[in-house]
Amino acid sequence: MAVAVEREQIHVKKGDTIEIIAGRQRGKRGKVLSILSKHGKIIVEGVNVVKRHSKPTQKLPQGGIIEKEAPIYGSRAMLVCPKCGRAARVGHGYLPDGTKIRICKRCGEQIEK
Ligand SMILES: [Zn+2]
C-alpha cells in the first residue's frame, strides 16, 4: 500500500454519487451524505456501515445496535458520472457566463445538474 497521506482537497460534493476505488469497500457505490473536509474524509450512504451499540436514548429507548456510516477517505472515492454512469476523473471548465463546472473526463459531459 503506497497511498500517500496528503491533505488533498476533496473532489466530490455532497449529493454526488461515488464509487469506492480502494480498500475493502471497493466497487461499492453510494451518495455522499457529508464532507468532513478537515479530515479529508467523506460519509457515503450505505458504504462502510458500522454497527454501534448504543445506550438507551430518547430516540431509542431500548438502546441496542444502530447502524451508521463511518467516514472514509475522500481519496478512496471516485465520482460516478451521471451521464455515462462510470467512475471518472473530473476536469473543470467554465460556462459562457463564467460559472465553473465539472466535466467527466470519460464522456466529456458536464456533471453539474
Ligand atoms: Zn461521463
Side-chain angles (χ1 to χ4, degrees):
M1 288 262 284
V3 179
V5 179
E6 54 187 43
R7 275 179 178 271
E8 60 179 282
Q9 219 191 333
I10 295 184
H11 58 285
V12 295
K13 292 179 183 173
K14 199 170 164 179
D16 282 346
T17 298
I18 59 90
E19 184 172 313
I20 308 301
I21 53 163
R24 271 191 306 153
Q25 312 276 320
R26 192 173 170 166
K28 275 197 181 177
R29 288 185 178 192
K31 205 164 106 182
V32 177
L33 297 177
S34 54
I35 310 268
L36 310 168
S37 46
K38 233 196 276 178
H39 306 279
K41 290 181 169 182
I42 58 176
I43 293 175
V44 185
E45 191 172 39
V47 172
N48 207 23
V49 176
V50 292
K51 285 183 179 165
R52 286 229 176 94
H53 295 270
S54 87
K55 284 179 193 163
T57 60
Q58 243 169 10
K59 242 175 151 181
L60 216 66
Q62 280 136 21
I65 298 168
I66 51 167
E67 295 195 342
K68 203 168 185 267
E69 285 92 352
I72 57 163
Y73 282 104
S75 56
R76 289 189 175 176
M78 198 172 229
L79 188 68
V80 174
C81 169
K83 296 275 165 33
C84 63
R86 292 183 291 181
R89 288 193 181 278
V90 174
H92 290 282
Y94 294 91
L95 293 176
D97 71 356
T99 309
K100 195 177 179 185
I101 55 163
R102 294 179 299 170
I103 294 166
C104 168
K105 285 194 173 174
R106 293 239 202 198
C107 67
E109 293 286 337
Q110 79 178 68
I111 285 161
E112 314 315 327
K113 302 99 203 171

Coordinates of all heavy atoms in Angstrom, one line a residue, residues 81-86 88 104-109 111, ligand 1:
C81 N -20.0 9.5 -12.9 CA -20.6 10.4 -13.8 C -22.1 10.1 -14.1 O -22.4 9.0 -14.4 CB -19.9 10.4 -15.2 SG -20.7 11.3 -16.5
P82 N -23.0 11.1 -13.8 CA -24.4 10.8 -14.0 C -24.8 10.6 -15.5 O -25.8 10.0 -15.8 CB -25.1 12.0 -13.4 CG -24.1 13.1 -13.3 CD -22.7 12.4 -13.3
K83 N -23.9 11.0 -16.4 CA -24.2 10.9 -17.8 C -23.8 9.5 -18.3 O -24.6 8.9 -19.0 CB -23.5 12.0 -18.6 CG -24.0 13.4 -18.2 CD -25.2 13.8 -19.0 CE -26.0 15.0 -18.5 NZ -25.2 16.0 -17.9
C84 N -22.6 9.1 -18.1 CA -22.2 7.8 -18.6 C -22.2 6.7 -17.6 O -22.0 5.5 -18.0 CB -20.8 8.0 -19.3 SG -19.4 8.4 -18.2
G85 N -22.4 7.0 -16.3 CA -22.5 6.0 -15.3 C -21.2 5.3 -14.9 O -21.3 4.3 -14.3
R86 N -20.1 5.9 -15.3 CA -18.8 5.3 -15.0 C -18.1 6.1 -14.0 O -18.2 7.4 -14.0 CB -18.0 5.1 -16.2 CG -18.6 4.0 -17.1 CD -17.7 3.8 -18.3 NE -17.7 4.9 -19.2 CZ -17.0 5.0 -20.3 NH1 -16.3 3.9 -20.7 NH2 -17.0 6.0 -21.1
A88 N -15.3 8.3 -12.9 CA -14.5 9.0 -13.8 C -13.7 10.1 -13.1 O -14.0 10.6 -12.1 CB -15.4 9.7 -14.8
C104 N -16.8 15.4 -16.9 CA -16.4 14.0 -16.9 C -15.3 13.8 -17.9 O -15.5 14.1 -19.1 CB -17.6 13.1 -17.1 SG -17.2 11.4 -17.5
K105 N -14.2 13.3 -17.5 CA -13.1 13.1 -18.5 C -13.3 11.9 -19.3 O -12.5 11.6 -20.3 CB -11.8 13.0 -17.7 CG -11.3 14.4 -17.2 CD -9.8 14.3 -16.8 CE -9.4 15.7 -16.5 NZ -8.0 15.8 -15.9
R106 N -14.3 11.1 -19.0 CA -14.6 9.9 -19.9 C -15.5 10.3 -21.0 O -15.2 9.9 -22.2 CB -15.3 8.9 -19.0 CG -14.5 8.3 -18.0 CD -14.4 6.8 -18.2 NE -14.0 6.1 -17.0 CZ -13.5 4.9 -16.9 NH1 -13.4 4.2 -18.0 NH2 -13.2 4.4 -15.8
C107 N -16.6 11.0 -20.7 CA -17.5 11.3 -21.8 C -17.5 12.7 -22.2 O -18.2 13.1 -23.2 CB -18.9 10.8 -21.4 SG -19.7 11.7 -20.1
G108 N -16.9 13.6 -21.4 CA -16.8 15.0 -21.8 C -18.0 15.8 -21.4 O -18.1 17.0 -21.8
E109 N -19.0 15.1 -20.8 CA -20.2 15.9 -20.4 C -20.0 16.6 -19.1 O -19.2 16.2 -18.3 CB -21.4 14.9 -20.3 CG -21.8 14.2 -21.6 CD -22.6 15.2 -22.5 OE1 -23.1 16.2 -22.0 OE2 -22.6 14.9 -23.7
I111 N -20.9 17.7 -15.4 CA -21.5 16.9 -14.3 C -22.6 17.6 -13.5 O -23.6 17.0 -13.1 CB -20.4 16.4 -13.4 CG1 -19.6 15.2 -14.1 CG2 -20.9 15.9 -12.1 CD1 -18.3 14.9 -13.6
Ligands
ZN1 ZN -19.3 10.7 -18.2

